[in-house]
């Protein structure tokens, strides 16, 4: 215990995410042992049994917080499909006695391979102080340990940060739990659907509607650098690309185009929005520099060019075009040169999205009356289909490029029944398909970068 | 206010669309065969010339397209010819031409496809002598199906371009 708090680091750039006051103390993570490890590059692995104990509190005022933190961590890890939290009723050692040191035999006997312990208390200034430690039960070693101080209202974020730390320590990959999803909340009849911008934490908590539904809105996407969303709005019956400031709620039309602008996405540096502009029946790809507000045409083709998405290095763009007869995927340089078709399988390909890791492009495929979510390399090789249904559409990448969220719609009956539209997540391996719970029907998901 | 008017029109169009069951294998005549919306009582004398109702009942407000196409079929040309005459007769009328797609496509591509269909209809009307300045196009992609159902009959009615009289307070 005495050697526990050995070095410190502060979380950089906190004020951006309203987390002022959070303090992070980086703690000894033991040696460079990597005995306990999940290799997530292979599908269908057995989830790692992990015991996640309630964060201990001697103060009745923080007992519930200790339980809640533990529950959020367990839910994050469980949903990843890589971890199997063990039922707390099987635990032998109490959270209180854990504070001294784990009795590893007590945890081995219930088959826990990893153990998460922690404690929580109020500081004299009113902030919460959390400590957590991750243990390798078989090696009987501490794998990670952190302490945080934060206003009480931030407790969920701290739980996600802890879950990310556990995920990273065990898988070797960055986590993705401290992130949000913006999407379109749907309600009402299908012939006049009400659609609203909505935002939530990736686990569904802190859900909030951002627009009131008076204007049809579609296809929101997060800025990589600001608390901002770009999306399509039919405000005043003029479909145009807008920016939405998450902190102020301010909405702003992007540019003064005469016709419809749509399918917007930010560049990786957040300084440019690439989108489609439809003029006289022809959609081409345009870019707008957000600092100068100067728009520039990138593709000049009589075919439909849409759904552009930047590579993470900002040098290339993958997009959707029917210039070859049907919808296919093409890659080009950001200046519009070196256009190359990359999809050659059977069927139509659409909604390409470049992975934040750069190694893959996710897409929607339509073939034989069915829709699929799939991935391929940027050169079009190694295509793999991950999901299939009547209608699967619009994949979006987790910040670490390991998980995709998309939407799935069921067929509609003549009576109007059906047409149920929900968000789902699936691991890059094609396993662990799960519904992402939302208060209403949901479509057009877009994952945020990691909160900062 | 404007939203309200639009909603009313949508209801009108829906009523018109629903009176035509699946018969798109043959030529779909959106004109004379549609009945007036029930709330307006008997059709005929009460219809205001140049109104949306006039367009729906006596001309045909919509044309249909094949899957993933924006080419005008012969049945579409017939309807557009009637629309062109009607626009000339009612020379002060301004319209929106809405382009729509069925649900079997991705949202963004369908927005582009709807735009293409609306433009296809508009450009034909222009070629028939209707001033382009009287017609504005708007695409709804797959966002506003006219007919519910995940079947070919419904899809065929949803792949459409619809003429809507602007500011119609009918």
């Amino acid at each position: 215990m005495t050697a526990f708090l050995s070095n410190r680091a502060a979380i950089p750039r906190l004020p951006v995410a309203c987390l002022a006051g959070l303090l992070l103390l980086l703690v000894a993570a033991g040696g460079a042992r990597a005995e306990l490890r999940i290799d997530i590059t292979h599908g269908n692995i057995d989830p790692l049994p992990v015991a996640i104990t309630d964060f201990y509190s001697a103060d009745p005022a923080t007992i519930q917080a200790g339980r809640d933190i533990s529950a959020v961590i367990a839910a994050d890890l469980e949903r990843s499909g890589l971890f199997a939290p063990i039922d707390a009723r099987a635990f032998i050692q109490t959270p209180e006695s854990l504070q001294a040191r784990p009795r590893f035999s007590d945890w081995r006997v219930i088959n826990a391979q990893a153990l998460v312990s922690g404690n929580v208390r109020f500081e004299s200034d009113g902030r919460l102080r959390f400590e957590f430690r991750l243990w390798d039960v078989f090696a009987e070693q501490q794998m990670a340990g952190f302490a945080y101080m934060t206003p009480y209202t931030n407790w969920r974020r701290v739980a996600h940060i802890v879950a990310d730390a556990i995920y990273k320590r065990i898988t070797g990959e960055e986590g993705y739990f401290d992130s949000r999803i913006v999407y379109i909340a749907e309600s009402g009849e299908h012939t006049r659907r009400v659609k609203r911008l909505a935002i939530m934490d990736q686990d569904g908590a802190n859900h909030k509607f951002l627009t009131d539904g008076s204007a049809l809105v579609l296809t929101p996407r997060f800025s990589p650098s600001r608390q901002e969303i770009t999306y399509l709005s039919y405000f005043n019956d003029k479909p145009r690309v807008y920016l939405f400031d998450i902190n102020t709620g301010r909405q702003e039309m992007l540019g003064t185009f005469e016709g419809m602008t749509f399918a917007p996405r930010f560049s990786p540096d957040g300084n440019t929005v690439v989108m489609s502009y439809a003029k006289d029946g022809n959609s081409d790809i345009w870019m707008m520099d957000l600092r100068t507000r100067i728009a520039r045409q990138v593709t000049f083709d009589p075919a439909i060019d849409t759904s552009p998405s930047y590579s993470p290095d900002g040098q290339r763009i993958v997009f959707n075009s029917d210039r070859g007869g049907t919808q296919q995927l093409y890659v080009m340089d950001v200046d519009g040169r070196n256009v190359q078709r990359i999809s050659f399988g059977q069927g139509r390909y659409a909604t390409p999205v470049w992975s934040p890791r750069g190694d893959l492009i996710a897409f929607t495929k339509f073939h034989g009356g069915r829709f699929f979510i799939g991935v391929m390399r940027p050169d079009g090789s190694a295509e793999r289909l991950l999901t299939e249904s009547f209608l699967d559409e619009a994949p979006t990448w987790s910040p670490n490029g390991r998980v995709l969220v998309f939407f799935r719609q069921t067929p509609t009956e003549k009576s109007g029944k059906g047409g149920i539209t929900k968000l789902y997540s699936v691991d890059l391996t094609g396993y662990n398909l799960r519904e992402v719970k939302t208060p209403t029907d949901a479509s057009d998901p877009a994952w945020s970068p990691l909160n900062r | 206010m404007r939203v309200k008017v639009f909603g009313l029109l949508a209801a009108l169009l829906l009523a018109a669309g629903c009176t035509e069951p699946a018969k798109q294998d043959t030529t779909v005549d959106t004109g004379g065969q549609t009945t007036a919306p029930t709330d307006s009582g008997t059709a005929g004398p009460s219809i205001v010339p140049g109104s949306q109702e006039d367009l729906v009942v006596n001309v045909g407000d919509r044309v249909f397209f094949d899957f993933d196409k924006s080419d005008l079929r012969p049945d579409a040309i017939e309807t557009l010819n009637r629309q062109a005459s009607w626009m000339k007769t009612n020379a002060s009328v301004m319209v929106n031409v809405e382009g729509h797609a069925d649900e079997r496509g991705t949202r963004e591509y369908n927005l582009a496809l709807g735009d293409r269909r609306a433009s296809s209809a508009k450009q034909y009307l222009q070629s028939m002598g209707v001033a382009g300045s009287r017609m504005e196009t708007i695409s709804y992609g797959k966002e506003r199906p006219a007919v519910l159902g995940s079947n070919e009959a419904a899809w065929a009615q949803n792949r459409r371009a619809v003429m809507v009289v602007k500011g119609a307070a009918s």
Side-chain angles (χ1 to χ4, degrees):
Chain A
M1 184 70 182
T2 45
F4 184 58
L5 303 172
S6 66
N7 63 49
R8 305 169 164 232
I11 291 183
R13 305 175 59 199
L14 278 171
V16 177
C18 323
L19 257 188
L22 180 81
L23 178 77
L24 178 148
L25 303 169
L26 184 63
V27 156
R33 294 183 59 93
E35 231 170 6
L36 183 58
R37 192 175 179 87
I38 299 177
D39 181 355
I40 57 177
T41 58
H42 298 293
N44 202 18
I45 57 141
D46 290 329
L48 183 87
V50 54
I52 300 165
T53 62
D54 288 350
F55 279 34
Y56 172 70
S57 173
D59 177 359
T62 48
I63 286 175
Q64 192 57 44
R67 287 183 189 138
D68 292 344
I69 292 160
S70 159
V72 168
I73 296 168
D76 277 350
L77 295 177
E78 194 279 329
R79 249 181 302 102
S80 76
L82 301 174
F83 297 84
I86 295 167
D87 190 332
R89 286 172 297 191
F91 297 172
I92 300 162
Q93 189 178 14
T94 64
E96 183 174 9
S97 79
L98 252 177
Q99 302 308 307
R101 183 168 174 81
R103 288 193 305 270
F104 291 105
S105 57
D106 282 4
W107 300 101
R108 278 196 294 271
V109 81
I110 63 167
N111 199 31
Q113 294 194 36
L115 167 67
V116 177
S117 66
N119 60 66
V120 56
R121 66 165 190 260
F122 276 119
E123 288 290 280
S124 54
D125 64 3
R127 289 186 300 171
L128 277 184
R129 183 178 190 284
F130 306 78
E131 267 181 36
F132 108 91
R133 301 182 204 193
L134 172 65
W135 305 91
D136 182 332
V137 171
F138 285 83
E140 303 201 353
Q141 281 208 342
Q142 183 178 313
M143 296 179 77
F146 296 88
Y148 304 90
M149 288 209 279
T150 182
Y152 183 81
T153 49
N154 281 335
W155 71 267
R156 285 194 79 93
R157 264 207 73 189
V158 172
H160 293 310
I161 290 169
V162 168
D164 279 334
I166 295 167
Y167 182 98
K168 182 175 185 183
R169 186 69 181 88
I170 293 185
T171 68
E173 307 247 356
E174 291 297 326
Y176 59 89
F177 303 120
D178 183 26
S179 62
R180 287 167 295 167
I181 290 173
V182 62
Y183 74 97
I184 298 297
E186 302 194 5
S187 56
E189 296 167 42
H190 289 283
T191 49
R192 60 184 86 178
R193 204 75 159 148
V194 174
K195 296 197 171 190
R196 293 191 277 176
L197 272 183
I199 192 169
M200 61 188 180
D201 295 349
Q202 56 77 30
D203 65 350
N206 293 317
H207 186 279
K208 197 176 158 193
F209 294 108
L210 298 178
T211 63
D212 62 8
S214 57
L216 176 65
V217 291
L218 303 170
T219 63
R221 278 85 196 233
F222 255 103
S223 167
S225 54
R226 284 179 293 278
Q227 293 298 304
E228 209 164 59
I229 294 164
T230 184
Y231 65 107
L232 171 59
S233 172
Y234 277 71
F235 181 68
N236 279 342
D237 295 330
K238 301 244 180 266
R240 299 289 186 276
V241 169
Y242 281 73
L243 293 176
F244 187 99
D245 185 314
I246 297 171
N247 292 332
T248 64
R250 185 166 175 269
Q251 301 173 46
E252 177 197 357
M253 194 200 291
L254 198 51
T256 50
F257 294 90
E258 284 171 25
M260 173 172 68
T261 47
F262 61 110
R265 278 187 198 274
F266 287 99
S267 60
D269 64 7
N271 290 330
T272 303
V273 167
V274 63
M275 59 190 155
S276 282
Y277 172 29
K279 199 173 184 321
D280 302 324
N282 180 35
S283 297
D284 277 313
I285 290 170
W286 288 63
M287 282 177 187
M288 176 165 282
D289 187 314
L290 295 178
R291 295 159 299 187
T292 63
R293 298 293 162 129
I294 293 171
R296 182 165 66 82
Q297 187 169 357
V298 186
T299 66
F300 299 81
D301 196 285
I304 289 172
D305 293 337
T306 191
S307 302
S309 168
Y310 277 89
S311 60
D313 65 5
Q315 296 304 302
R316 286 186 292 169
I317 286 172
V318 62
F319 65 103
N320 194 199
S321 177
D322 69 346
R323 58 183 65 191
T326 60
Q327 284 172 273
Q328 299 295 339
L329 308 184
Y330 293 79
V331 169
M332 65 182 172
D333 297 343
V334 281
D335 61 6
R337 290 184 194 165
N338 295 321
V339 178
Q340 285 179 320
R341 178 172 163 179
I342 62 165
S343 63
F344 291 96
Q346 286 188 303
R348 291 170 160 80
Y349 292 78
T351 77
V353 198
W354 218 301
S355 157
R357 299 156 65 106
D359 56 345
L360 292 169
I361 288 166
F363 55 82
T364 305
K365 175 171 172 155
F366 177 48
H367 179 56
R370 305 284 288 174
F371 281 80
F372 308 81
I373 301 297
V375 294
M376 62 174 64
R377 293 201 189 117
D379 65 0
S381 66
E383 175 178 329
R384 277 192 299 127
L385 299 180
L386 308 178
T387 74
E388 175 191 352
S389 86
F390 168 73
L391 177 57
D392 283 354
E393 184 178 339
T396 180
W397 291 95
S398 62
N400 70 349
R402 288 293 320 174
V403 181
L404 290 163
V405 165
F406 60 97
F407 76 88
R408 171 169 288 181
Q409 186 177 329
T410 64
T412 311
E413 293 169 31
K414 201 175 174 181
S415 64
K417 272 191 194 155
I420 296 161
T421 308
K422 292 288 186 180
L423 305 186
Y424 286 82
S425 66
V426 67
D427 191 80
L428 187 50
T429 56
Y431 291 96
N432 198 34
L433 177 71
R434 300 195 183 207
E435 186 184 330
V436 179
K437 294 281 196 312
T438 48
T440 65
D441 275 14
S443 60
D444 292 1
W447 217 312
S448 78
L450 278 181
N451 292 328
R452 54 177 78 111
Chain B
M1 163 88 171
R2 190 165 176 186
V3 172
K4 211 171 169 182
V5 169
F6 182 77
L8 203 68
L9 288 178
L12 197 77
L13 297 174
L14 185 64
C18 288
T19 55
E20 291 179 338
K23 56 185 280 274
Q24 48 283 328
D25 288 341
T26 58
T27 301
V28 175
D29 184 351
T30 56
Q33 294 175 21
T34 38
T35 56
T38 48
D39 57 320
S40 65
T42 47
S46 65
I47 293 179
V48 180
S51 66
Q52 186 67 28
E53 190 182 4
D54 182 26
L55 179 64
V56 170
V57 173
N58 298 318
V59 178
D61 65 336
R62 61 195 61 200
V63 298
F64 301 98
F65 298 87
D66 289 336
F67 175 70
D68 199 12
K69 299 282 190 224
S70 56
D71 316 68
L72 298 172
R73 305 190 314 217
D75 58 303
I77 300 272
E78 279 182 39
T79 304
L80 289 171
N81 284 339
R82 286 196 303 275
Q83 287 184 355
S85 318
W86 185 82
M87 286 293 282
K88 286 175 200 162
T89 309
N90 299 284
S92 62
V93 168
M94 310 279 277
V95 298
N96 277 327
V97 180
E98 299 178 354
H100 299 269
D102 71 29
E103 67 185 356
R104 290 172 309 156
T106 47
R107 195 176 314 290
E108 291 175 344
Y109 181 84
N110 276 1
L111 288 170
L113 182 59
D115 178 71
R116 224 186 220 174
R117 285 173 175 161
S119 295
S120 184
K122 178 186 169 180
Q123 281 162 14
Y124 181 82
L125 291 167
Q126 263 183 290
S127 76
M128 296 305 288
V130 182
S133 57
R134 296 173 60 198
M135 302 178 284
E136 212 174 326
T137 58
I138 181 169
S139 173
Y140 286 96
K142 61 175 172 177
E143 304 308 312
R144 293 284 180 264
V147 178
L148 294 175
S150 295
N151 55 70
E152 183 49 47
W155 293 329
Q157 301 229 18
N158 290 333
R159 298 188 296 262
R160 68 202 194 277
V162 183
M163 184 181 273
V164 179
V165 176
K166 271 193 196 179
S170 51

